[in-house]
Amino acid sequence: MELMSSPIYFVSSTESPEFNQLNSSLTRSSLVGLDAEWKPVRTHQSTFPTVSLLQIACRLIPDETESVVFLLDLSTIPLHSIYDLLKQVFESPCILKLGFKFKQDLKYLSSTFVAQGCHLGFEKVEPYLDIASVYNALQNKQKGKELPKQSKSLAAICKDVLRISLSKELQCSDWSCRPLSEEQVQYAAADAHCLLKIFDVLRCKFCKEGNSRDGVAEIHPFNVKLGLKLIMEEPDTCNVIIKTKFCNAIEMVQATTTEFPQKITTPSDSDLGRLSLNHKAIDDTILRIIKRYGDKIVLKLFDRSPKGSKKKGKRQSSSYNKEKRSEDIDEWEGPPPWDMSLGGDGCPKFLCDVMIEGLAKHLRCVGIDAAVPYTKKPNTRDLIEQAEKEKRVLLTRDAKLLRHKYLIQNQIYLVKSLLKNDQLVEVIHTFQLDISEDKLMSRCAKCNGRFIQRPLSTEEALEVAKGFQVIPNCLFNKNVEFWQCKDCNQLYWEGTQYHNAVQKFIEVCKLS
Ligand SMILES: [Zn+2]
């Protein structure tokens, strides 16, 4: 199968035939693939990278197979002239946006637009479908059971689904340099276009599997255009529309009037560069897929325009150890240390690189989930894969790793302090971890495991410790309680060492 058989348009100005082509294609698309490229960030550069290319692959209707790819040169197009158009595409309920971990791209894109004075950047992309999550869902369904979520790369999904090797060589090439090489153009276009191709395969599977379970599938046995008449007659159709948030009356009318799109405008449509994108019928299968798997990306204000708000927010909350920390805070304006939506129970989990295994032990001692790499000498890919798989924030002292930070959704943080205690304080402060005395020593410092709920008596502890751990004789008649790690069986007790350690962490973490 050939991947790039579709025309590619390089759009470098709004006064160009290519831009007109983009406008007319967007009005004919209910499915687009999105991707963005930026110049790789220097290791210690702390602001968001500037996005220099936005790829939009459009699937044109009515022909289900025809598609076209646009490469928007964000380094030459004045961004305010395309801001409204893009915002409308991102938020149109009639265009399903496909992406691969597009949230990161959207953050960078948003901050690039904000830097050129475009209001507050981009707030959301909806409806959105992440190719990785659909791939996972369908893979799991095939095997008939819920498997742990895999996090494959786009190239791996491409290979698996399309039997095509997507070259990743150019991923880190300089995307800000012009003109782009022919290879770069092909690579950039393929990255967005393959999203459509993968979606096609998944859509096929979805149709074959006859997803009648959700009760929507049976409503439209044919490819429906959501006519007003039908909406009136068919209550279920109405229901679908409401469920998929087609609530805006004007959009509903626009969705139903394929014949006269230009005649229906909202007041805001008179803005320059705004298009009426909502006038086409959305494919029934796409509607069902949105219903089942549809998602949205919502950026917090801070993610949209990191520079100003970050500094301010950080300053306000840094009442603690102000003089010493304020330098670091000024220095660090990078991506937010941790995306709340990625952590499980409201507290980030960490993966400490080999150079800072001591920090991992310290974090465990204050009750924070901190893992170490599977092997003693992990390569970059192992680290990133483990962090992704276990949804951990990667902590490292290796600045070179930051080059890969766009690959990792859970993010990488470069630990600046040299000493373990300082590193602990730095991480607690940066990630605003809530440390309290009752969390101290609540994890196995050796392996990061949790403890067996019930304390063990001396007799039980002696039994468990046989041939494994020496329990000092002096404890025998003191009625000491023991805790055992569920994972590695290590025993802990409230001896002198324990009390010293608790005291130390109370001081280090300034717990009162
Ligand atoms: Zn353990």
Coordinates of all heavy atoms in Angstrom, one line a residue, residues 443-451 484-490 492, ligand 1:
R443 N 6.1 3.5 52.7 CA 6.4 2.7 51.5 C 7.7 1.9 51.8 O 8.6 2.5 52.5 CB 6.7 3.5 50.3 CG 5.5 3.7 49.5 CD 5.8 4.6 48.3 NE 4.5 4.9 47.7 CZ 3.9 4.0 46.9 NH1 4.5 2.9 46.5 NH2 2.7 4.3 46.4
C444 N 8.0 0.9 51.1 CA 9.2 0.1 51.2 C 10.3 1.0 50.5 O 10.3 1.2 49.3 CB 9.1 -1.2 50.6 SG 10.6 -2.2 50.6
A445 N 11.3 1.4 51.3 CA 12.4 2.2 50.7 C 13.2 1.4 49.8 O 13.9 1.9 48.8 CB 13.3 2.8 51.8
K446 N 13.2 0.1 50.0 CA 14.1 -0.8 49.1 C 13.5 -1.0 47.7 O 14.2 -1.0 46.7 CB 14.2 -2.2 49.9 CG 15.3 -3.0 49.4 CD 15.4 -4.3 50.3 CE 15.9 -5.5 49.5 NZ 15.6 -6.7 50.2
C447 N 12.1 -1.2 47.7 CA 11.6 -1.6 46.4 C 10.4 -0.8 46.0 O 9.8 -1.0 44.9 CB 11.2 -3.1 46.4 SG 9.6 -3.4 47.2
N448 N 9.9 0.2 46.8 CA 8.8 1.0 46.4 C 7.5 0.3 46.7 O 6.4 0.8 46.3 CB 8.9 1.5 45.0 CG 7.9 2.7 44.7 OD1 7.8 3.5 45.5 ND2 7.4 2.7 43.5
G449 N 7.5 -0.9 47.3 CA 6.2 -1.6 47.5 C 5.5 -1.0 48.7 O 6.0 -0.2 49.4
R450 N 4.2 -1.5 48.8 CA 3.4 -1.1 50.0 C 3.5 -2.2 51.1 O 4.0 -3.3 50.8 CB 1.9 -0.9 49.6 CG 1.7 0.0 48.5 CD 2.3 1.4 48.7 NE 1.8 2.2 49.8 CZ 1.0 3.2 49.7 NH1 0.5 3.6 48.6 NH2 0.6 3.9 50.8
F451 N 3.1 -1.8 52.3 CA 3.2 -2.8 53.4 C 1.9 -3.6 53.6 O 0.8 -3.2 53.2 CB 3.5 -2.0 54.7 CG 4.8 -1.3 54.6 CD1 4.9 0.0 54.8 CD2 6.0 -2.0 54.4 CE1 6.1 0.7 54.7 CE2 7.2 -1.4 54.4 CZ 7.3 0.0 54.5
Q484 N 5.7 -5.6 57.0 CA 6.4 -6.4 56.0 C 6.0 -5.8 54.6 O 4.8 -5.5 54.4 CB 6.0 -7.9 56.0 CG 6.8 -8.7 55.1 CD 6.3 -10.1 55.1 OE1 5.3 -10.5 55.7 NE2 6.9 -11.0 54.3
C485 N 7.0 -5.7 53.7 CA 6.7 -5.2 52.4 C 6.0 -6.3 51.6 O 6.5 -7.5 51.6 CB 8.0 -4.8 51.7 SG 7.7 -4.5 49.9
K486 N 4.9 -6.0 51.0 CA 4.1 -7.0 50.2 C 5.0 -7.5 49.0 O 4.7 -8.6 48.6 CB 2.9 -6.3 49.6 CG 1.7 -6.2 50.5 CD 0.6 -5.6 49.7 CE -0.5 -5.0 50.6 NZ -1.5 -4.2 49.8
D487 N 5.8 -6.7 48.5 CA 6.5 -7.1 47.3 C 7.9 -7.8 47.5 O 8.1 -8.8 46.9 CB 6.8 -5.9 46.4 CG 5.5 -5.3 45.9 OD1 4.5 -6.0 45.8 OD2 5.4 -4.1 45.6
C488 N 8.7 -7.3 48.4 CA 10.0 -7.9 48.6 C 10.2 -8.5 49.9 O 11.3 -9.0 50.2 CB 11.1 -6.8 48.3 SG 11.3 -5.6 49.7
N489 N 9.1 -8.5 50.8 CA 9.2 -9.1 52.1 C 10.0 -8.5 53.1 O 10.1 -9.0 54.2 CB 9.5 -10.6 52.0 CG 8.4 -11.4 51.2 OD1 7.3 -11.1 51.3 ND2 8.8 -12.4 50.5
Q490 N 10.7 -7.4 52.8 CA 11.6 -6.7 53.7 C 10.8 -6.3 55.0 O 9.6 -5.9 54.9 CB 12.1 -5.5 53.0 CG 13.0 -4.6 53.9 CD 14.4 -5.1 54.0 OE1 14.9 -5.9 53.1 NE2 15.2 -4.7 55.0
Y492 N 10.3 -4.1 58.4 CA 10.7 -2.8 59.0 C 10.1 -2.7 60.5 O 9.1 -3.4 60.7 CB 10.1 -1.6 58.2 CG 10.7 -1.5 56.8 CD1 10.2 -2.3 55.8 CD2 11.7 -0.6 56.6 CE1 10.7 -2.1 54.5 CE2 12.2 -0.5 55.3 CZ 11.7 -1.3 54.3 OH 12.2 -1.1 53.0
Ligands
ZN1 ZN 9.9 -3.9 49.3

